Amino acid sequence: PYLHRFLRNRPSASRIQRQLGVSSVCLDVEKLQSCTVGGFCLRILPSSPGSARPRPPPPLPSMAALPTTGGRIAVVTGGNKTLGFALVLGLYERLGPDDYLYVSSRTTAKCQQAVAQIQARAGRGGGGLALRPTLVALAMDIADEASVASFARTLLQRHGGVDIFVSNASAKLAPDVAAADQVDNFMGVNNRGTALLLHHLLRILRPCGRFIVLSSEQGRLINVPEHHRPALDPAVATFPGVDQAVADYARRVHDGETEAFGQELNVVSRAGQIALVGAAARQVSQERPEDGILVVAVCPGLVRPIRDPPATAPSPEDAARDILWLVADGAGVEEGEVSGETASRLECHGKLVQHCKVVEE
């Protein structure tokens, strides 16, 4: 979309070369504009009056067509507390001085507080801030499409894309609130929010990028009510199909057709997230097969602090370590550091991963 708007304004050949860093430009104002970007010839035909008609959604763009910064761009949503904060801290310790690390939450104040805490901790450690990535506080409400779209535009305008995106923000179930009174917010954040992030941010993910969605192994297909399984099967799921299945389930909750409180509501919501990851991974594999992008759902398990935690519940730092293995080169575990066989990163594409291993159905 950025390139389309840019060329529609009929820029000069020199401006195209300067703005996009293209290798050659050919302009025929009356009939055709074209330019070569990263080995691809891009052509924009002038529109004729009355020729407008509905067009299908655009494919994922080639990142060679977008201006880029030299360093890596990383984002963590819900990065102001517990696991999200541990993920931000882990990335901050691993990324370099040319990189940018965005801390996102619903409010600017929470983002800024997390940034200040991390900078203060780094200062006390004596390592200095000069060798660390640039921390940026940028608020986003993942359930609000205008907010998500604005966030994506900001990253595109500032950096030309994003390299690491960790979707950690989520809604929690309240044990003392009826299911019908919280299903809309719960699924609005966890399911609509995930779909919005994938729709707007996956399009600007740069080659070798990582898009991680934190979910739960409760969302395995075997746990899903049988009549919802076809639409929520990650191997065949589609974005419209998942959206319809989640909406139908919410309607059944409101109509009192299901005992939805507690585990089943969480199961369907998490299954919807995992199904969206499967659909997004297939889209990336079809449209950008050479870009080395990974889209993965991750189950961090029950992470402290929680009420009555099991003995095996990890700390936020330990849980973050497994996730960082997926998103940052040289970060997190290596082969042999966990019990059993560690999956390769490529095996995780479109899958649910826990403790560095693909969760089997």
Side-chain angles (χ1 to χ4, degrees):
Y2 167 85
L3 183 65
H4 187 271
R5 291 195 302 272
F6 180 72
L7 293 180
R8 282 289 187 190
N9 290 330
R10 302 290 184 188
S12 65
S14 60
R15 187 182 175 205
I16 292 177
Q17 289 177 306
R18 184 175 64 254
Q19 187 82 5
L20 300 181
V22 300
S23 55
S24 67
V25 177
C26 171
L27 296 178
D28 183 336
V29 176
E30 295 299 322
K31 297 180 180 179
L32 176 70
Q33 289 191 79
S34 71
C35 63
T36 302
V37 182
F40 294 93
C41 185
L42 304 172
R43 294 183 174 88
I44 303 296
L45 294 173
S47 57
S48 57
S51 64
R53 62 178 184 272
R55 288 176 291 181
L60 297 171
S62 168
M63 299 315 298
L66 299 173
T68 62
T69 54
R72 289 171 293 180
I73 311 303
V75 178
V76 179
T77 67
N80 61 300
K81 59 183 180 180
T82 57
L83 179 55
F85 185 81
L87 286 165
V88 172
L89 185 60
L91 285 168
Y92 187 70
E93 293 171 345
R94 291 163 170 83
L95 295 175
D98 294 329
D99 303 327
Y100 286 79
L101 176 55
Y102 281 75
V103 182
S104 183
S105 184
R106 288 186 64 184
T107 68
T108 299
K110 290 180 179 179
C111 300
Q112 292 174 338
Q113 183 180 24
V115 166
Q117 289 175 343
I118 291 173
Q119 289 176 332
R121 182 179 298 196
R124 290 194 301 270
L129 302 179
L131 300 179
R132 301 296 188 183
T134 300
L135 279 170
V136 185
L138 187 61
M140 173 174 55
D141 181 353
I142 68 170
D144 178 8
E145 183 162 18
S147 179
V148 175
S150 175
F151 191 96
R153 282 195 303 271
T154 298
L155 293 180
L156 187 61
Q157 292 164 0
R158 291 180 181 178
H159 310 289
V162 61
D163 300 283
I164 298 169
F165 193 94
V166 183
S167 174
N168 168 70
S170 64
K172 309 297 184 201
L173 287 172
D176 55 345
V177 177
D181 293 333
Q182 58 181 326
V183 62
D184 292 336
N185 178 69
F186 186 70
M187 290 188 159
V189 173
N190 294 346
N191 298 100
R192 173 173 165 77
T194 299
L196 289 175
L197 291 173
L198 286 166
H199 176 74
H200 289 280
L201 275 302
L202 195 60
R203 295 185 179 280
I204 63 169
L205 199 64
R206 301 201 285 204
C208 299
R210 304 289 187 262
F211 199 111
I212 309 300
V213 176
L214 269 60
S215 188
S216 170
E217 59 89 23
Q218 285 193 352
R220 295 166 60 199
L221 200 61
I222 194 173
N223 298 326
V224 176
E226 191 168 351
H227 54 282
H228 285 300
R229 290 181 188 176
L232 299 181
D233 183 349
V236 297
T238 64
F239 280 83
V242 174
D243 182 66
Q244 187 61 53
V246 169
D248 287 347
Y249 185 79
R251 178 193 57 77
R252 294 180 64 234
V253 172
H254 284 297
D255 292 346
E257 298 177 11
T258 178
E259 295 291 334
F261 180 73
Q263 184 170 347
E264 184 180 282
L265 178 54
N266 192 55
V267 163
V268 174
S269 177
R270 299 306 182 182
Q273 288 181 313
I274 298 167
L276 288 172
V277 166
R282 289 197 310 279
Q283 182 184 12
V284 166
S285 297
Q286 292 167 3
E287 298 181 3
R288 297 174 62 182
E290 305 300 324
D291 279 355
I293 288 173
L294 294 184
V295 185
V296 184
V298 177
C299 172
L302 296 173
V303 179
R304 299 171 186 265
I306 55 175
R307 182 181 300 175
D308 301 323
T312 56
S315 67
E317 293 74 20
D318 288 338
R321 189 164 168 266
D322 286 356
I323 300 166
L324 292 175
W325 165 75
L326 280 167
V327 302
D329 293 338
V333 305
E334 301 295 341
E335 297 287 344
E337 288 191 33
V338 295
S339 60
E341 189 74 19
T342 301
S344 74
R345 291 178 177 89
L346 293 179
E347 292 173 339
C348 300
H349 185 53
K351 305 293 185 181
L352 174 66
V353 174
Q354 185 175 25
H355 304 318
C356 307
K357 293 181 287 188
V358 174
V359 177
E360 303 294 343
E361 285 294 339

